[in-house]
Amino acid sequence: EAGVAQSPRYKIIEKRQSVAFWCNPISGHATLYWYQQILGQGPKLLIQFQNNGVVDDSQLPKDRFSAERLKGVDSTLKIQPAKLEDSAVYLCASSPWTGGTVSEQYFGPGTRLTVT
Amino acid sequence: GENVEQHPSTLSVQEGDSAVIKCTYSDSASNYFPWYKQELGKGPQLIIDIRSNVGEKKDQRIAVTLNKTAKHFSLHITETQPEDSAVYFCAALNDYKLSFGAGTTVTVRA
């Protein structure tokens, strides 16, 4: 079974520029998550989708971050404009969860963003 | 929201010895506790998990225990090997949201 795919793996941009990350979840997984992992810390949830609807985006800085999951499969996360403090690894995860009993989350390799 | 604390932040063990990582959580409503292993340049990999209706779970050299009363859970790795060297994260699920600890860097000395 193919895992969660993410691209690009690395990105370097200057502050105030924009950037987009792409995620393809495990086939058949209804729920998709975007996490931000700052160096030396655990992942922090930014946004959670179930199919193409948003379940939780309470920790997404909506003035600069946006995300979408059209057709309930692939997802993109965008930052515009980027700030220095956005330097982090952006992780995508997916889960077969559709509500009720909890289920496992599986992570992709991440995109390492450096903002200079 | 949920707050997860993880100790120690670094752990160095001799190959063949055991390693123990401990986590505490704040919200008694949390009901699912996964552990992830993250190697350099890779995403977190789920290695074991435990649900709130279970006190202990074992998978080969890895075991997890949960004490709901004290709100803490632990990861035990026995007979450590060099390939166990990585950063380990605990997490707690509350209101369908995973909150992670800060991680433990485990180094297995040959």
Side-chain angles (χ1 to χ4, degrees):
Chain A
E1 173 180 84
V4 177
Q6 290 188 246
S7 68
R9 293 296 315 277
Y10 306 92
K11 190 75 176 179
I12 300 174
I13 62 172
E14 295 182 352
K15 59 184 179 183
R16 292 188 291 274
Q17 287 187 325
S18 63
V19 64
F21 313 126
W22 173 82
C23 173
N24 181 242
I26 293 172
S27 178
H29 279 193
T31 303
L32 183 148
Y33 312 80
W34 282 102
Y35 287 86
Q36 181 192 58
Q37 185 177 25
I38 292 173
L39 187 64
Q41 299 181 18
K44 184 187 82 170
L45 180 68
L46 292 175
I47 188 167
Q48 176 181 343
F49 293 94
Q50 184 176 325
N51 296 311
N52 60 352
V54 176
V55 175
D56 187 332
D57 64 357
S58 59
Q59 298 189 82
L60 187 72
K62 299 180 187 62
D63 57 334
R64 298 184 301 107
F65 286 64
S66 64
E68 61 181 11
R69 191 185 183 196
L70 299 177
K71 301 181 182 178
V73 181
D74 293 6
S75 177
T76 57
L77 175 69
K78 297 179 181 178
I79 307 175
Q80 182 179 10
K83 292 185 175 182
L84 295 176
E85 58 261 36
D86 298 332
S87 294
V89 175
Y90 290 85
L91 295 162
C92 179
S94 73
S95 166
W97 181 76
T98 55
T101 303
V102 301
S103 62
E104 302 84 352
Q105 293 185 24
Y106 298 93
F107 284 81
T111 296
R112 180 175 295 277
L113 174 68
T114 302
V115 182
T116 62
Chain B
E2 176 62 276
N3 181 47
V4 178
E5 294 191 355
Q6 183 172 347
H7 300 280
S9 57
T10 61
L11 182 59
S12 179
V13 297
Q14 190 70 35
E15 182 177 357
D17 287 350
S18 296
V20 179
I21 303 170
K22 299 182 178 181
C23 290
T24 61
Y25 60 99
S26 60
D27 195 326
S28 57
S30 292
N31 59 359
Y32 172 67
F33 306 91
W35 286 86
Y36 287 86
K37 175 184 180 182
Q38 188 171 28
E39 297 175 314
L40 199 61
K42 297 184 179 181
Q45 175 193 4
L46 180 67
I47 56 172
I48 195 168
D49 57 13
I50 191 167
R51 297 168 196 265
S52 58
N53 58 348
V54 176
E56 183 173 357
K57 183 176 179 181
K58 188 174 182 179
D59 182 3
Q60 298 182 346
R61 297 186 296 108
I62 295 174
V64 58
T65 58
L66 171 65
N67 183 326
K68 285 194 299 182
T69 303
K71 290 189 283 188
H72 66 69
F73 55 114
S74 301
L75 178 72
H76 303 251
I77 307 174
T78 59
E79 301 173 17
T80 54
Q81 301 169 5
E83 53 264 37
D84 294 329
S85 294
V87 180
Y88 291 81
F89 291 96
C90 62
L93 186 76
N94 180 275
D95 195 21
Y96 307 113
K97 185 184 301 182
L98 264 185
S99 297
F100 285 81
T104 297
T105 300
V106 174
T107 302
V108 180
R109 306 187 308 271

